[in-house]
Amino acid sequence: MILLGKKWRAALVLALGFLFLAGCQPSRQNTARPAPETVLYVHGYSGGKGSTNFLINYAVTHAGATKALVATVSGSGKVHFTGRWPQTATRPLVQVIFQQNRDPDPAHLRLWLRNVTRALKQRYGVTKIGIVAHSMGNNATLAYELRDGKKPGQPQLVHYVAIAPSINGIVDPKHRGCCAHRHHGQRDRRAVHA
């Protein structure tokens, strides 16, 4: 059995996740081509460009994807796009970067991701999205989907790959999430339950 380091295991999982997303496309036999699904890569706590670059490059090289944009989101929620949106992209990828990458507040994460999806719809006509999220990026995805994802006019999430999600719940700003603290094998009574 080959043993891989934590970073390589995470990279492999993300790459496989993208390949899964790419394989979930409906067959297109002699029909009008639907608008392509845009895949967002959302980093985890303290992450940045380096967190998802390998995965995006792998998808570009091996799955026919096109890295279209980097969406950088300020702490106030302002979205700045860099890159160019090719008109012929069949699998456009957007790398999402939160400048406040150590802010686990679900309200902030939801707002930031919602602003990215709104801007993608307004500027590029994106109506369907897939998300590959790592760690805190899953908190952003779930908070967005629960609050804004089904609202009319928002791009619809059609595929989602969760890598190392916070399965014990979304942690509050004081880091007292469900089961996050243990005392002599017992659950912390201060735990916050969502």
Side-chain angles (χ1 to χ4, degrees), residues 7-192:
K7 287 184 180 181
W8 283 105
R9 280 190 298 226
L12 181 61
V13 169
L14 282 173
L16 291 173
F18 179 79
L19 292 175
F20 169 76
L21 286 177
C24 287
Q25 299 296 321
S27 74
R28 297 179 182 133
Q29 300 174 348
N30 298 327
T31 59
R33 183 175 171 179
E37 175 185 327
T38 300
V39 179
L40 283 62
Y41 281 80
V42 186
H43 64 76
Y45 185 85
S46 193
K49 277 188 174 185
S51 302
T52 56
N53 270 342
F54 172 80
L55 305 164
I56 291 170
N57 291 337
Y58 188 90
V60 168
T61 303
H62 299 288
T66 303
K67 181 175 181 183
L69 302 169
V70 175
T72 304
V73 188
S74 71
S76 65
K78 183 174 179 173
V79 179
H80 175 74
F81 290 111
T82 54
R84 69 182 253 293
W85 188 269
Q87 296 300 318
T88 59
T90 55
R91 293 187 177 125
L93 308 180
V94 177
Q95 185 176 36
V96 178
I97 306 295
F98 299 136
Q99 285 184 332
Q100 300 293 321
N101 62 358
R102 293 182 181 184
D103 182 353
D105 185 336
H108 294 158
L109 296 170
R110 178 192 68 81
L111 173 74
W112 298 337
L113 190 56
R114 184 198 68 196
N115 289 355
V116 170
T117 61
R118 279 186 179 173
L120 285 169
K121 177 153 188 187
Q122 291 169 353
R123 295 180 193 178
Y124 304 104
V126 171
T127 58
K128 296 184 285 185
I129 59 172
I131 295 179
V132 176
H134 176 256
S135 186
M136 186 177 79
N138 289 292
N139 295 2
T141 303
L142 295 176
Y144 163 78
E145 186 63 14
L146 289 171
R147 192 82 184 266
D148 299 305
K150 298 300 179 200
K151 288 184 179 175
Q154 281 294 112
Q156 297 300 299
L157 179 65
V158 293
H159 293 106
Y160 171 49
V161 176
I163 300 161
S166 302
I167 59 171
N168 287 333
I170 296 176
V171 183
D172 78 350
K174 296 176 186 168
H175 302 289
R176 292 183 298 169
C178 175
C179 309
H181 299 285
R182 298 198 178 264
H183 180 68
H184 300 292
Q186 302 219 355
R187 206 181 263 190
D188 185 340
R189 300 288 181 220
R190 300 172 299 165
V192 176

